[in-house]
Amino acid sequence: MTAPLIVGLSGTALTADEAAFLAATRPLGLILFKRNIGTADEITRLVAAAQEASGARLVLIDQEGGRVQRIGPPLAPRYPPAAAIGALHAADPAQAARAAWLAGHLIAADLAPFGINTPCLPVADVPVPGAHDVIGDRAYGETPDIVAALAGAAADGVMAAGALPVVKHIPGHGRAWVDSHVSLPVVEADRAALERDFAPFRALAATPLGMTAHVVYTAIDPARPATLSPAAIDLIRTDIGFEGLLMGDDLSMGAISGDIGANAAASLAAGCDCVLHCNGDLGEMDAIASAIGPMTDAAARRLAAAHARLGPAPADVTALRDEFADLVGAAV
């Protein structure tokens, strides 16, 4: 039975203990980081071995471009950050949307030979002046309409390449004054102000996969971050209208403290479809697996709908690389 869990791995080769854990737990997905990136053959072997052990079809990686790109040259081209694509919007919105689509499409095509089918993009957060730069140039712009248009185009580009995008960080990380990788942000904006943050996520509500933000929004739930908050998850589903498989952000991040198994169970009880654990610590993974139950029927349906969107990778993207380089002024 598939577990509502996406897990990281410790290195460039699957260990015997990891293989045993994956076989026993059957997580729905795997996620790679720089510690997992060796040679092209090593990446391919790691992915294949982990998928064989787990049965998981989804293989995730943070590959946005800019400073968030786990696989770089010579294995994959370097891409500019989302803000560089957003900068094109003022002169030509259509060209900016095309560049965003191409970036998503090309990134997905880069990953396909390794067996990686789920690049964790687009970022649909709208940063505000003075906020922590953990989002910064990862955002496509500073207004909801630009972010919605370009994040949506990037997601479409990923899907056109047979892969799955992950829209993040719902319901919005752009107002956070601290980095949720380190500590827990608390956003005290009123509900009316938060509507600005929600708008891009409403526009991307049909995206097959989404990720929550480890942020407390006092106007929604003054006590719990969105990942652990029934009120916030209800808002994501009913007000924002997000339809896809909803994962919490990484439970091993600094924003989430306390017992990791209890936090995993709380995230699922709040309404997340699955939990994400990234650091590759097998002890923590065991604790999470022991604390969570099976996928709900609704989560299983959303996962099946995501699987159905997977398709073949494009055969040749040479001309698209040239087009992207012409648009953004950087070869990829």
Side-chain angles (χ1 to χ4, degrees):
M1 184 177 294
T2 301
L5 174 61
I6 299 168
V7 294
L9 304 168
S10 61
T12 57
L14 192 68
T15 69
D17 286 344
E18 287 172 336
F21 171 84
L22 295 177
T25 305
R26 309 290 287 179
L28 70 85
L30 311 160
I31 185 164
L32 302 187
F33 285 84
K34 282 193 174 180
R35 66 178 180 270
N36 308 120
I37 307 308
T39 67
D41 285 345
E42 285 174 328
I43 300 170
T44 304
R45 286 197 298 269
L46 175 65
V47 169
Q51 284 190 298
E52 182 178 6
S54 65
R57 293 185 62 188
L58 303 186
V59 183
L60 290 71
I61 194 166
D62 287 313
Q63 192 82 351
E64 300 168 11
R67 56 198 161 102
V68 181
Q69 183 170 337
R70 310 304 184 198
I71 303 179
L75 299 177
R78 180 67 61 188
Y79 288 83
I85 294 172
L88 304 174
H89 190 275
D92 193 325
Q95 280 199 344
R98 178 63 176 170
W101 187 96
L102 287 166
H105 194 75
L106 293 170
I107 287 170
D110 295 339
L111 299 175
F114 306 116
I116 302 169
N117 56 19
T118 308
C120 295
L121 68 91
V123 171
D125 302 303
V126 185
V128 300
H132 193 282
D133 68 358
V134 64
I135 299 300
D137 66 359
R138 298 168 65 195
Y140 289 94
E142 297 180 353
T143 62
D145 57 335
I146 292 175
V147 171
L150 301 187
D156 288 344
V158 171
M159 288 187 284
L164 296 176
V166 180
V167 61
K168 53 191 185 183
H169 307 81
I170 314 172
H173 204 300
R175 294 179 187 271
W177 298 95
V178 297
D179 181 354
S180 58
H181 294 88
V182 178
S183 57
L184 179 62
V186 177
V187 169
E188 297 180 339
D190 63 28
R191 183 67 169 74
L194 291 176
E195 286 294 315
R196 175 180 182 271
D197 304 353
F198 301 162
F201 298 106
R202 288 197 180 104
L204 277 73
T207 308
L209 301 171
M211 180 185 293
T212 64
H214 289 336
V215 177
V216 171
Y217 309 88
T218 58
I220 302 170
D221 184 335
R224 290 167 289 198
T227 304
L228 306 180
S229 167
I233 303 304
D234 180 68
L235 178 143
I236 289 168
R237 290 297 190 196
T238 61
D239 190 334
I240 291 175
F242 185 74
E243 301 171 2
L245 184 86
L246 186 66
M247 67 188 78
D249 204 347
D250 176 19
L251 288 174
S252 62
M253 287 166 58
I256 305 295
S257 60
D259 182 85
I260 200 162
N263 286 332
S267 180
L268 296 175
C272 285
D273 291 315
C274 66
V275 295
L276 174 66
H277 182 264
C278 294
N279 69 11
D281 184 308
L282 197 55
E284 291 184 1
M285 290 155 61
D286 275 324
I288 291 171
S290 297
I292 61 177
M295 293 188 73
T296 65
D297 290 344
R301 287 193 296 270
R302 294 181 186 116
L303 178 61
H307 285 165
R309 301 293 292 267
L310 291 168
D316 185 0
V317 292
T318 304
L320 298 182
R321 292 194 193 283
D322 292 341
E323 182 186 357
F324 184 75
D326 287 343
L327 286 172
V328 303
V332 294

